[in-house]
Amino acid sequence: MSTVPPNGEWSDRVHRLQVKLSAAGMAGCLITQNVGIYYFTGSMQAGYVFVPAAGEPTYYVRRSLVRALEESRIRTAELLSFRGFGEQLRSDYPQSFAGTEEGQPPLIGSDLDVMPAQLYLKLGEVIPAARIVDSSAMLRSVRSVKSEYEIGRISNAAEVVAAALDEGLAELKPGMTELELMAVIEHGIRRRGHIGLLRMRGYNQEIMTGIVSAGEAAAEPSYFDGPAGGRGLSPASPKSVSLRPIGRNEPILLDLGCCIDGYVIDQTRTAVIGTLSPELEAAYRVTEEIIRDAERLLRPGTTPEQIYVQALETADKAGLAGHFMGFGKDQVKFLGHGIGLEIDEWPVLARGFRDPLEPGMTLAVEPKFTFPGQGVVGIENTYLVTENGSRALTKSPEKLYEL
């Protein structure tokens, strides 16, 4: 697949948003978050993107205009001043700000799920001619279906993380710390083009390269909204790797991501130096069963909720419901998540997500079991929903790595 986006990539994204804006009776959408700006323009300079319900969008840039003009795939203009932004919008889009026949101000959607409250209040002051409403679900829905170009970027990231995992496992030995193993893996993905971070949309959620954690450290609870967090290096970074040495016959959780050209892959493999206890190995085999069930259900027309409920039933039948996707009060209520420019995209394999899956959606499915004092076992693959089912984008062999 091409590493250069085709000419129609951005016009198609804008069109899909405009269809939703018109259906919702919105006059336009103001995009303020960097990731959203990149998605609709191909650039990530400071500014805002306005997409009218009909017509050409504009990227209003504060800094750096020179670079944005080189990178942007849509109309790009200088943001003259923040105080005058409302007037600049009304001048450029008189039809969008004309108001309704009933005299009501036009509705302008925006990414309120990630917008700071202070910015929301200030935008209300500088754009008094419109009512700013939440269109974050609409924006996330548009991004949930990936183009061939986007799928190619995710696939490339999968190849990179697979190669780096092999390098890390080749150097793994008893007594090596979690941090030392992660450093080998991070070196491998960084020199192959990883941008150095994995973006998340969730408030106060951060992620590094992922989680490398062994034994009881992997099972320690964490603020992180995932089935495993890891001990971390300190309370200032209470997740992922620690300085704990990796021992024999304990599960090593290798939950890794890689970001190429902005697009993320997410995968998990379980390793052990020696052998797992019968209890942990049995739990690992249940994660294989759950992911096989998910693969059969990952197809157009299935709802994300159906896949999650099936996983709950399988875990319960195995007597492992209390260990599924965390332990006790720290269990999370999902099986997987959409993935793309952010690691926590839509749809989510969880209750309440009832819109049917569509071809082009990419999802990470991550069944895991947590055993306090012992560790975490599990698998995670990233999949593409196709016209007839799904296919894995993850490249690392799916197996229990016994070293």
Side-chain angles (χ1 to χ4, degrees), residues 263-281:
Y263 286 89
V264 178
I265 190 73
D266 196 7
Q267 73 167 50
T268 298
R269 296 293 182 261
T270 300
V272 59
I273 304 172
T275 58
L276 292 180
S277 69
E279 179 186 20
L280 294 179
E281 181 165 356

Side-chain angles (χ1 to χ4, degrees), residues 297-309 347-350 352-357:
L297 292 170
L298 274 169
R299 56 193 315 110
T302 303
T303 68
E305 184 177 67
Q306 285 177 265
I307 301 173
Y308 177 61
V309 169
V348 182
L349 301 180
F353 283 81
R354 301 188 180 99
D355 290 338
L357 296 175

Side-chain angles (χ1 to χ4, degrees), residues 162 165-166 267-269 284 381 394-401:
L165 174 61
D166 287 345
Q267 73 167 50
T268 298
R269 296 293 182 261
Y284 178 81
N381 292 329
T394 311
K395 307 297 184 188
S396 293
E398 186 196 297
K399 62 180 181 178
L400 176 61
Y401 288 76

Side-chain angles (χ1 to χ4, degrees), residues 74-324:
I74 68 171
R75 177 179 180 267
T76 301
E78 183 179 8
L79 177 62
L80 300 177
S81 76
F82 183 77
R83 288 184 178 277
F85 186 34
E87 288 303 314
Q88 190 174 3
L89 281 172
R90 289 184 65 180
S91 175
D92 289 348
Y93 295 96
Q95 194 69 26
S96 298
F97 289 85
T100 66
E101 292 181 0
E102 295 78 20
Q104 296 298 316
L107 301 180
I108 302 297
S110 197
D111 43 16
L112 300 192
D113 63 327
V114 289
M115 182 187 295
Q118 186 180 58
L119 177 58
Y120 171 75
L121 295 173
K122 287 183 177 179
L123 286 171
E125 293 174 1
V126 301
I127 313 176
R131 184 157 69 94
I132 298 175
V133 297
D134 189 20
S135 62
S136 54
M138 185 184 299
L139 291 166
R140 298 188 78 170
S141 176
V142 168
R143 280 176 43 193
S144 69
V145 176
K146 306 301 190 292
S147 68
E148 184 177 351
Y149 165 74
E150 293 179 288
I151 295 163
R153 298 297 82 217
I154 298 171
S155 296
N156 186 234
E159 292 173 357
V160 168
V161 80
L165 174 61
D166 287 345
E167 291 177 353
L169 292 175
E171 293 197 26
L172 177 60
K173 56 185 181 294
M176 188 179 200
T177 68
E178 296 172 352
L179 179 60
E180 288 170 335
L181 177 56
M182 178 64 96
V184 175
I185 295 169
E186 286 183 332
H187 178 63
I189 61 172
R190 194 73 164 116
R191 71 174 194 270
R192 291 179 173 89
H194 172 52
I195 69 170
L197 62 101
L198 306 175
R199 293 187 171 99
M200 289 194 70
R201 196 173 190 88
Y203 179 65
N204 272 351
Q205 292 295 299
E206 300 169 318
I207 195 163
M208 290 72 86
T209 308
I211 300 167
V212 169
S213 195
E216 81 287 344
E220 291 186 12
S222 167
Y223 77 97
F224 183 67
D225 189 20
R231 178 175 295 167
L233 291 171
S234 78
S237 180
K239 68 180 293 288
S240 191
V241 301
S242 72
L243 297 176
R244 179 191 184 277
I246 298 169
R248 293 184 179 276
N249 304 322
E250 61 182 15
I252 306 164
L253 187 71
L254 301 155
D255 188 344
L256 303 171
C258 173
C259 185
I260 301 291
D261 296 332
Y263 286 89
V264 178
I265 190 73
D266 196 7
Q267 73 167 50
T268 298
R269 296 293 182 261
T270 300
V272 59
I273 304 172
T275 58
L276 292 180
S277 69
E279 179 186 20
L280 294 179
E281 181 165 356
Y284 178 81
R285 300 306 170 194
V286 177
T287 68
E288 292 180 319
E289 181 181 350
I290 290 171
I291 213 162
R292 296 290 85 79
D293 287 340
E295 287 174 345
R296 286 189 286 271
L297 292 170
L298 274 169
R299 56 193 315 110
T302 303
T303 68
E305 184 177 67
Q306 285 177 265
I307 301 173
Y308 177 61
V309 169
Q310 175 64 54
L312 290 177
E313 291 175 356
T314 302
D316 185 54
K317 190 183 301 182
L320 293 169
H323 298 267
F324 186 53

Side-chain angles (χ1 to χ4, degrees), residues 43-62:
S43 181
M44 200 182 279
Q45 300 302 305
Y48 309 99
V49 174
F50 184 74
V51 179
E56 184 182 18
T58 301
Y59 182 15
Y60 295 94
V61 181
R62 179 176 60 82

